Amino acid sequence: MQAAVLESPGSMVLVDHADPADPGPGEVLVAVRRVGICGTDHHAYRGMQNFFVYPRVLGHELAVEVLAVGAGETRLRPGDLCAVLPYVSCGTCYGCQRGRANCCDRIDVMGVTRDGGLRERMVVPASHLFTDPDLTLDQLVLVETLGVGWHAVARAQPQPDDSVLVLGGGPIGLAVAQAARAKVDLLVVADVSADRVAFADASGHDSLLVDRDFEERLLDHNGGLLPSMVFDATGSRASMENAFALTGSCGTLVFVGHTTESIRFENPSFHARELDLRASRNATVADWTEVISAARDRTLDALGWVNHRTTLAGIVDELPGLAADPGRVVKTVVDLDGDPT
Ligand SMILES: [Zn+2]
Ligand SMILES: [Zn+2]
């Protein structure tokens, strides 16, 4: 079978890959049908991704079809369409014991620290497959991205009187905005890219371009107050450092994106305003369950984000261009079978 392998930064190739072994107990053999491409893949291609190990089959946003189940598996059947929770945790560390397997000490992430889904077939733990008969492959492939947004909002627990600023209008920022907008009245998405601002606007969010007088326009939008809750989904050190000054008194700043660089901030103003600073990593099963039920109830529809589709061979050619100019598309989906469902 074919697989797209990132051999080292800047070098992705299509290779003949060994077929996976038969699924053992607790495992499932799946055909990969859709793979979402995101900033993690771009950063891995450019050699800028935290926690990444080469060579690697990329692909952590997966919609798959069950082909065969291992002994003892009764929940799943061949033909079931599933999203794949790509985070494999140990179950025994402090985080896992506290229900925070998303930041397990020994976490293994498909497509990052173990091989992912840019290949025709793979074996995955049955416990990591989320199926819903009402969801299409395109809905299922977006669950991972949305889960990251849902988790960030769960980390911050906004109340109705919070005002939210989401920095970064890419898929993660849009996922945060989707998750938060049901909980607060005042929410704005901001980005340095006019295209992304226009897309966020068209998706129904108030949006602002980050340029010279951004802070003034933000204050205008928020009735003269800085937002009480800021989510930075840019992965940009400059934006993350500046986000401290954009968070209002007693407010909460959540870093959803991350960078390999150090972050500096002015302690006096951080201390004076008694800010809460939180990291948000990956997502939990609870976040996934909420995303799937919101997609099923149609209170969430992110299908319009997919504005570029390609094939397994196509992504090998196109990833360099996508990584160099990530603002060009909102969400790329690799379609491994050409089936439009
Ligand atoms: Zn992703
Ligand atoms: Zn663990």
Side-chain angles (χ1 to χ4, degrees):
M1 68 170 187
Q2 291 196 306
V5 178
L6 184 60
E7 297 180 309
S8 58
S11 172
M12 181 140 113
V13 289
L14 196 63
V15 299
D16 280 324
H17 195 281
D19 248 302
D22 288 339
E27 292 181 333
V28 175
L29 173 68
V30 299
V32 180
R33 302 278 302 271
R34 302 280 188 278
V35 181
I37 300 296
C38 81
T40 298
D41 305 301
H42 302 155
H43 290 142
Y45 182 81
R46 296 169 64 195
M48 296 164 58
Q49 176 64 25
N50 281 330
F51 323 120
F52 197 87
V53 185
Y54 302 86
R56 182 63 59 231
V57 176
L58 292 177
H60 59 278
E61 302 177 5
L62 309 175
V64 303
E65 178 178 348
V66 173
L67 294 177
V69 301
E73 173 57 36
T74 54
R75 183 177 63 99
L76 296 161
R77 291 192 181 79
D80 284 349
L81 304 180
C82 310
V84 183
L85 186 77
Y87 328 118
V88 182
S89 51
C90 77
T92 56
C93 73
Y94 184 78
C96 283
Q97 293 289 323
R98 307 227 342 155
R100 293 175 63 173
N102 59 301
C103 56
C104 167
D105 286 348
R106 289 177 282 275
I107 199 160
D108 215 4
V109 181
M110 297 175 199
V112 179
T113 54
R114 67 159 67 180
D115 281 343
L118 278 179
R119 49 179 160 161
E120 293 175 74
R121 289 173 290 283
M122 64 193 290
V123 168
V124 293
S127 57
H128 287 238
L129 292 176
F130 288 70
T131 187
D132 187 294
D134 293 332
L135 297 196
T136 64
L137 289 167
D138 277 0
Q139 288 175 304
L140 290 166
V141 80
L142 291 168
V143 170
E144 199 273 344
T145 305
L146 290 161
V148 171
W150 253 250
H151 186 67
V153 170
R155 290 284 290 136
Q157 294 290 326
Q159 301 303 305
D161 61 349
D162 272 309
S163 61
V164 169
L165 167 64
V166 180
L167 291 165
I172 297 297
L174 292 172
V176 172
Q178 279 276 6
R181 69 187 288 175
K183 300 184 187 287
V184 301
D185 293 333
L186 211 52
L187 181 145
V188 63
V189 177
D191 201 291
V192 292
S193 153
D195 287 345
R196 287 195 156 170
V197 168
F199 190 88
D201 221 49
S203 306
H205 304 297
D206 289 349
S207 11
L208 292 173
L209 185 66
V210 179
D211 60 6
R212 269 171 316 160
D213 59 349
F214 169 63
E215 197 173 325
E216 264 171 57
R217 284 179 292 118
L218 178 65
L219 285 168
D220 275 352
H221 180 274
N222 275 13
L225 289 174
L226 286 170
S228 60
M229 200 165 273
V230 177
F231 296 87
D232 194 296
T234 65
S236 149
R237 179 184 55 79
S239 175
M240 291 162 81
E241 291 185 341
N242 195 45
F244 288 87
L246 297 173
T247 311
S249 199
C250 327
T252 301
L253 171 58
V254 182
F255 285 161
V256 195
H258 55 101
T259 168
T260 53
E261 298 178 77
S262 297
I263 298 289
R264 296 166 66 95
F265 62 93
E266 297 305 320
N267 185 64
S269 64
F270 175 76
H271 186 84
R273 282 182 277 159
E274 202 180 38
L275 300 186
D276 284 327
L277 173 63
R278 297 189 168 202
S280 180
R281 187 178 186 195
N282 301 329
T284 63
V285 169
D287 301 317
W288 273 48
T289 306
E290 282 191 30
V291 168
I292 287 170
S293 78
R296 186 198 306 122
D297 301 344
R298 309 240 171 251
T299 52
L300 159 65
D301 183 0
L303 290 173
W305 299 359
V306 180
N307 57 357
H308 180 56
R309 306 183 82 95
T310 187
T311 60
L312 190 58
I315 194 62
V316 174
D317 293 336
E318 293 171 30
L319 191 62
L322 292 166
D325 185 11
R328 199 155 49 90
V329 288
V330 179
K331 175 57 72 184
T332 295
V333 166
V334 180
D335 190 333
L336 277 89
D337 56 9
D339 181 339
T341 56

